[in-house]
Amino acid sequence: MAFLIAQRAYIKLFLITKVEQQRGYGYQMLDQLKEEFKPFGYVPPQSEVYRALHELVQEGILYRTKQLKGVDPSVDFQEIVLYQFTDDGYEKAKLYKKQVKADLDRCIGLLQKAATDNYA
């Protein structure tokens, strides 16, 4: 068992939540995560975010679709990749989040013990 939760598992947890909130294209999610984690001094590496998305696709939780970013296809040529749940992906995602929650609770306990024992 790892000491603290793995970075990719942590990122996958947030990516699943972003897809649940229908904020599902990679660069958009990356920007949102960077902004959300900024107060904690953590910048999720772009490579890790895309590896995590790739793993979620390989695990059958998400699938990818492409569409043009803008509303006018005659003007907007930028293509984006959207991520959505597969037919059984939402159930798989809920199970994954449940497993990660148990790991997070263990990590929180370790961190609280360190703070209490050493800084009380």
Side-chain angles (χ1 to χ4, degrees):
M1 179 173 285
F3 176 63
L4 293 176
I5 189 167
Q7 176 178 243
R8 190 157 317 145
Y10 185 78
I11 291 171
K12 285 166 70 171
L13 174 67
F14 283 92
L15 293 173
I16 287 170
T17 300
K18 295 294 178 198
V19 174
E20 287 172 341
Q21 297 167 344
Q22 298 179 348
R23 297 184 182 148
Y25 77 90
Y27 193 77
Q28 177 188 35
M29 291 187 281
L30 174 64
D31 277 350
Q32 289 172 352
L33 292 177
K34 284 180 178 180
E35 190 61 32
E36 290 173 19
F37 295 135
K38 190 182 222 176
F40 305 103
Y42 173 64
V43 178
Q46 180 175 339
S47 60
E48 282 300 308
V49 170
Y50 283 103
R51 283 185 190 118
L53 284 167
H54 184 72
E55 282 184 12
L56 290 168
V57 170
Q58 284 183 320
E59 293 163 1
I61 295 173
L62 301 178
Y63 72 93
R64 303 163 35 119
T65 59
K66 294 182 180 183
Q67 77 175 41
L68 294 177
K69 185 176 181 181
V71 293
D72 184 358
S74 66
V75 178
D76 301 312
F77 299 109
Q78 184 180 5
E79 192 173 70
I80 59 173
V81 176
L82 294 174
Y83 293 88
Q84 298 172 333
F85 290 113
T86 61
D87 289 340
D88 63 344
Y90 183 69
E91 291 304 314
K92 289 179 180 179
K94 284 186 355 186
L95 177 60
Y96 182 80
K97 286 178 78 170
K98 185 177 179 180
Q99 292 167 342
V100 172
K101 173 73 167 100
D103 212 16
L104 283 173
D105 288 341
R106 182 184 62 77
C107 294
I108 290 167
L110 283 168
L111 294 171
Q112 286 176 334
K113 177 168 179 39
T116 303
D117 291 358
N118 296 289
Y119 300 99

